[in-house]
Amino acid sequence: VKLRYRLENYGEINPMAVEAYDEMKERYDTISNQRNDIIDAKKDLEETIKEIENKATIQFNEAFEKARLYFIDVFRSLFTEDDNCDLILLEPDNPLESKIEIVAKPKGKRPQSISQLSGGEKTLTATALLFALYLLKPAPFCIFDEVDAPLDDANIEKFNRIIKKFSKDSQFIIVTHNKATMAAVDTIYGVFMHEQGVSGVSHVDFRSFENSGVFEATGE
């Protein structure tokens, strides 16, 4: 009796219920599949990022160590063998995001930072770092724009010597007003203005001269 009473209280049967259920289940299954695809894609992406970061970290550490050794070698070539320098990762556990400290301590000086070096010493340190990166991945062309301006005669000679050393593998274009640098190059191009607003270029190939000190000889 109780069961009959409960059945009577259920009311009329909805003939569209099964169809509505099937429609809602289809939508649910579609959304669930899309969600699962997104979760799988996120997981694959995270694994790919991790793999790339691991490879990038290994490659960075290898390149950094090579650049560090090149920096020390070139720095001592520009200064002396007793001078100290280094490249230090401030966060070695996170090298890809770490800042890099440049240490440069010429003999007889104990600067706390590069800002305490003289203008010439800063220039030579920057040149050493530049050539360290060059040795890591040599380029066919290197352009210097008056980098020798703050250098004295002794440092100019060191700068020109190392340019000669690396010019065997790359071509260097140097913008300069220094006579010693001009005398040390293979070819010089002079820019002049023979009339107002019109520039001209003349060049001299020093390789055709026996005496590389042509400027000193002429007193130019």
Side-chain angles (χ1 to χ4, degrees):
V1 177
K2 291 182 178 180
L3 292 175
R4 187 181 297 112
Y5 179 76
R6 291 176 61 183
L7 290 172
E8 291 176 354
N9 287 336
Y10 282 151
E12 297 182 358
I13 296 175
N14 181 5
M16 303 296 294
V18 174
E19 183 178 346
Y21 169 80
D22 292 339
E23 181 180 348
M24 293 182 65
K25 187 175 186 305
E26 182 179 356
R27 290 180 57 191
Y28 171 80
D29 291 341
T30 299
I31 294 174
S32 295
N33 291 333
Q34 291 176 346
R35 176 180 177 276
N36 292 334
D37 289 342
I38 293 174
I39 292 175
D40 292 340
K42 178 184 176 183
K43 183 179 179 181
D44 292 340
L45 184 59
E46 289 175 342
E47 291 177 354
T48 301
I49 291 174
K50 186 177 180 180
E51 182 180 354
I52 292 174
E53 286 183 345
N54 289 337
K55 289 184 178 179
T57 299
I58 293 173
Q59 293 178 353
F60 175 83
N61 286 332
E62 292 176 351
F64 178 81
E65 186 59 26
K66 289 181 181 178
R68 174 179 170 272
L69 296 177
Y70 288 144
F71 176 60
I72 294 173
D73 182 53
V74 177
F75 183 87
R76 289 176 175 171
S77 297
L78 290 171
F79 289 89
T80 70
E81 289 296 326
D82 297 327
D83 294 320
N84 294 319
C85 70
D86 208 346
L87 298 177
I88 301 174
L89 287 174
L90 299 182
E91 298 179 47
D93 294 334
N94 185 24
L96 298 182
E97 300 294 334
S98 175
K99 294 182 179 180
I100 299 175
E101 180 180 1
I102 302 173
V103 178
K105 295 182 179 181
K107 187 177 180 180
K109 291 190 175 183
R110 292 294 180 266
Q112 298 298 316
S113 66
I114 289 182
S115 62
Q116 295 178 334
L117 298 176
S118 67
E121 290 168 339
K122 290 179 184 177
T123 299
L124 289 181
T125 300
T127 301
L129 181 59
L130 177 64
F131 276 112
L133 299 177
Y134 160 85
L135 288 171
L136 189 64
K137 190 175 182 180
F141 288 93
C142 290
I143 301 176
F144 292 96
D145 187 4
E146 296 191 46
V147 296
D148 56 354
L151 301 179
D152 56 22
D153 292 341
N155 288 330
I156 283 286
E157 184 179 350
K158 294 177 181 178
F159 172 76
N160 290 334
R161 186 166 60 246
I162 202 148
I163 290 292
K164 281 285 186 182
K165 177 181 178 181
F166 290 107
S167 63
K168 297 176 181 178
D169 301 313
S170 295
Q171 185 170 4
F172 289 88
I173 301 173
I174 304 174
V175 179
T176 182
H177 295 284
N178 188 280
K179 296 177 183 177
T181 301
M182 293 180 191
V185 300
D186 292 331
T187 306
I188 184 171
Y189 292 84
V191 181
F192 63 94
M193 187 177 293
H194 57 84
E195 61 180 272
Q196 188 64 33
V198 180
S199 296
V201 178
S202 63
H203 79 279
V204 177
D205 189 343
F206 288 129
R207 290 170 293 185
S208 61
F209 293 92
E210 293 183 1
N211 181 14
S212 60
V214 64
F215 277 96
E216 287 84 348
T218 59
E220 293 293 333

